[in-house]
């Protein structure tokens, strides 16, 4: 009998994409001996689709990841080739930072970070089996100083490790699944089917069966990517140049603009036309998306070009973004034209677009199908309800996007580490961050297609701005051990200045004297009839904190502060949107009351009389942790919540 490798760690992470990297780094930085597995070392933090980080609402997620101590924001600041703040013409609630990445450099830098992190081991191997053991009453505990934290659960199983395809066994008390799109993956265009993961990397072909055998049902989702075109074959004179911003805003709160400034590379905009659409329509029967060859459900908010043409027949053109994949490659990403059409149709379709008439394809567009789970199987901590110590994050949970994956990976890693430490899990609620909205939506609502984060999903988005993510979350990052003392001290100093200035401006009054009136007239602002505070003047649309400096005699000199631009921005926003912010905070107070009303974990909803049948079924299936979560379950009405509250109050 051959000897097999056996090793023991505190934690195991399966998959080294954006979710896996954040999970593994969080675990290791929180002191847990961690090993992360990947089917290929070339796939560490790989960007198999779009070459960018951030964007509408996704930029919020990246800044929240950074505020909590994650790595994505720092890594894109190191490797961006263009930066742009989206929605500048709108209010600050929907401002979203987006950066084009040098794909290969992004991977290289993240891998370097991982390889030089203490307590973290990288391993190239395919994980074939999750090892679980049956338990009646799983209990995790750990003594801390003079107290003992004990957590009990009614899980049917407990994870104890993994086994690789080679037969090697690795034991651990926690395992985080971050399998991305690799489970039983197959890439499809036309009638060509390749049983591989993205970019031709090996698929993971054994793990799905192991999960099913452990009682975890699997479902099938699909996503896609456009072709990559040789830059030398593109006529950019027929396209609109899209330059980056001159005033760079870093993703990481540890960086200033001057720390990361560099020469930026342009993107380009062109459009499809009726010829493009005719080519697609005349070949639609050859599309695996419409012929039934593709089984998985695709993302509604990132449709293929054939989907857009068929579903929006009234549109005579669609935007096409031509984006560089890196500084040292000629590959250009054709955003907006993902497809699974046959190779010959792709050539005809792309070459009908202005500027792409002589396009040479480097990589064909394709659709990719993969196995994933329903996140309804998970607790808000991203731990499986029925398998203690097993966590899941990223596209495995039915989401889409690098940023959504990284956010989940970070939280899964944090909570796996907290479990090992015998500490309470960290769950962000919907009023604390977009990360809270993302995870709450996944584990509460039925996601029948790949989930994409959008600003419209966040009901408290005026409070959850991308500019104040550090003010909302850095305290939490420090408390759990991912924000070091030096960074935390700098953050506290910044917050103190903002709070002090907002308070001082609100208390400092100016009269309707000649100096003030002249200043207001010169700046196109209405003169005063009675005394007003400096804060009242800042609130005026035509004025700002910077502009009122000449009449602000007691203003402290903050010009030497490291993050002076951020400080000034926060002062302006806090004052200009003061009324709206107060109104939203009062809404949050009501929300928090519902979130604090806990529901016993062992409650049998069949015992709650007057609940409708559908509500009973949904509540028993999802098992919400509090009334707030219960109220957001599809099929549970306000009347059902009232019945449930009466029942709980009577107990």
């Amino acid at each position: 009998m051959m000897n097999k490798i056996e090793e023991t760690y505190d934690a195991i992470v399966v998959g080294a994409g954006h979710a896996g990297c954040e999970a593994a780094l969080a675990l290791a930085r929180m002191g847990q001996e961690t090993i992360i597995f990947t089917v290929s070392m070339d796939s560490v933090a790989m960007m198999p689709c779009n070459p960018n980080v951030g964007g509408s609402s996704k930029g919020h997620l990246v800044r929240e990841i950074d505020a909590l101590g994650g790595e994505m924001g720092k890594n894109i600041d190191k490797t961006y080739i263009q930066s742009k703040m989206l929605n500048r013409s709108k209010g600050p609630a929907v401002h979203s930072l987006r950066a084009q990445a040098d794909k290969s450099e992004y991977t290289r830098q993240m891998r370097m970070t991982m390889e030089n992190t203490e307590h973290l081991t990288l391993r190239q191997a395919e994980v074939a089996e999750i090892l679980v053991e049956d338990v009646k009453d799983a209990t995790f505990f750990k003594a801390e100083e003079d107290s003992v934290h004990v957590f009990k659960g009614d899980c049917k199983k407990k994870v104890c490790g993994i086994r690789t395809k080679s037969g090697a066994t690795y034991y651990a008390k926690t395992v985080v699944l971050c399998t991305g799109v690799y489970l039983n993956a197959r890439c499809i265009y036309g009638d060509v089917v390749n049983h591989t993961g993205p970019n031709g990397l090996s698929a993971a072909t054994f793990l799905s069966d192991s999960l099913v055998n452990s009682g975890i049902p699997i479902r099938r989702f699909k996503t896609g990517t456009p072709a990559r075109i040789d830059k030398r074959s593109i006529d950019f004179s027929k396209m609109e140049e899209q330059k980056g911003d001159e005033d760079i805003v870093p993703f990481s709160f540890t960086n200033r603009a001057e720390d990361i400034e560099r020469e930026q590379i342009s993107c380009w905009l062109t459009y499809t036309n009726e010829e493009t659409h005719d080519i697609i329509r005349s070949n639609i029967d050859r599309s695996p998306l419409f012929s039934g060859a593709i089984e998985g459900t695709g993302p509604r908010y990132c449709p293929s070009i054939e989907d857009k043409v068929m579903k929006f027949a009234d549109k005579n053109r669609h935007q096409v973004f031509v984006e560089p994949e890196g500084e040292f490659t000629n590959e250009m990403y054709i955003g907006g034209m993902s497809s699974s059409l046959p190779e010959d149709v792709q050539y005809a379709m792309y070459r009908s677009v202005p500027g792409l008439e002589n396009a040479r394809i480097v990589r064909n567009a394709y659709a990719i199908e993969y196995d994933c789970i329903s996140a309804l199987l998970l607790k808000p901590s991203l731990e499986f309800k029925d398998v203690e110590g097993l966590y899941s994050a990223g596209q495995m949970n039915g989401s889409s996007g690098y940023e959504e994956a990284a956010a989940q990976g970070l939280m899964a890693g944090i909570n796996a580490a907290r479990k090992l430490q015998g500490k309470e899990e960290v769950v962000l609620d919907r009023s604390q961050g977009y990360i809270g909205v993302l995870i709450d939506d996944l584990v509460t609502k039925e996601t029948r297609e790949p989930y994409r984060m959008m600003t419209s999903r966040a009901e408290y988005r005026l409070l959850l701005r991308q500019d104040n993510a550090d003010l909302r979350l850095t305290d939490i990052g420090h408390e759990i051990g991912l924000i070091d003392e030096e960074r935390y001290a700098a953050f506290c100093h910044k917050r103190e200045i903002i709070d002090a200035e907002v308070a001082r401006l609100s208390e400092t009054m100016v009269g309707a004297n000649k100096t003030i009136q002249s200043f207001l007239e010169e700046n196109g602002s209405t003169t005063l009839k009675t005394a007003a505070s400096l804060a009242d003047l800042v609130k005026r649309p035509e004025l700002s904190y910077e502009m009122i400096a000449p009449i602000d005699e007691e203003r402290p000199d903050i010009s030497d502060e490291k993050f002076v631009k951020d400080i000034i921005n926060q002062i302006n926003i806090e004052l200009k949107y003061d009324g709206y912010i107060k109104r939203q905070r009062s809404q949050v107070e009501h929300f928090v009351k519902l979130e604090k009303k806990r529901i016993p974990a062992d409650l049998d909803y069949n015992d709650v009389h007057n609940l409708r049948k559908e509500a009973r079924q949904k509540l028993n299936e999802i098992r919400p942790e509090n009334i707030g979560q219960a109220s957001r379950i599809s099929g549970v009405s306000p009347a059902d919540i009232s019945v449930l509250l009466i029942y709980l109050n009577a107990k």
Side-chain angles (χ1 to χ4, degrees), residues 50 94 97 161 263 317 319 328 361 367 379 523 530-531 542 549:
N50 53 298
V94 293
L97 190 57
E263 188 176 344
R317 69 175 191 171
Q319 287 182 322
F328 302 106
I361 292 178
K379 301 175 184 177
N523 287 279
T530 59
E542 65 277 5

Side-chain angles (χ1 to χ4, degrees), residues 175-315:
V175 174
V176 185
L177 299 176
C178 303
T179 57
V181 298
Y182 285 84
L183 288 191
N184 283 332
R186 61 176 193 154
C187 295
I188 307 166
Y189 57 92
D191 57 2
V192 177
V193 179
N194 296 316
H195 291 273
T196 68
N199 282 3
L201 295 174
S202 298
T205 55
F206 295 96
L207 189 55
S208 291
D209 288 342
S210 173
L211 293 173
V212 171
N213 291 337
S214 298
I216 299 171
I218 293 296
R219 60 180 175 176
R220 200 84 170 145
F221 272 3
K222 163 258 173 190
T223 188
T225 192
R228 309 310 194 266
I229 303 294
D230 189 330
K231 178 181 179 180
R232 296 169 298 175
S233 68
I234 299 174
D235 183 354
F236 293 107
S237 68
K238 296 181 179 179
M239 300 180 179
E240 301 170 28
E241 188 173 10
Q242 307 282 298
K243 293 184 177 181
D245 291 340
E246 290 184 9
D247 53 331
I248 298 298
V249 177
F251 270 104
S252 176
F253 289 99
T254 61
N255 291 324
R256 298 171 302 169
E258 49 266 42
D259 298 329
I260 65 167
E261 282 179 350
R262 56 152 299 159
E263 188 176 344
Q264 299 186 58
I265 301 175
S266 291
C267 298
W268 303 84
L269 174 64
T270 184
Y271 296 88
T272 63
N273 50 53
E274 283 299 341
E275 182 186 355
T276 316
H277 301 178
D278 286 341
I279 291 168
I280 292 169
R281 281 190 287 261
S282 61
N283 288 279
I284 201 67
D285 59 317
R286 300 176 64 198
S287 167
L289 191 63
F290 287 84
S291 68
I294 290 177
E295 302 165 3
T297 304
R300 183 190 317 179
Y301 299 105
C302 188
S304 66
I305 187 62
E306 51 263 44
D307 239 347
K308 286 193 276 191
V309 168
M310 299 306 291
K311 290 182 178 177
F312 305 103
D314 58 315
K315 303 289 184 184

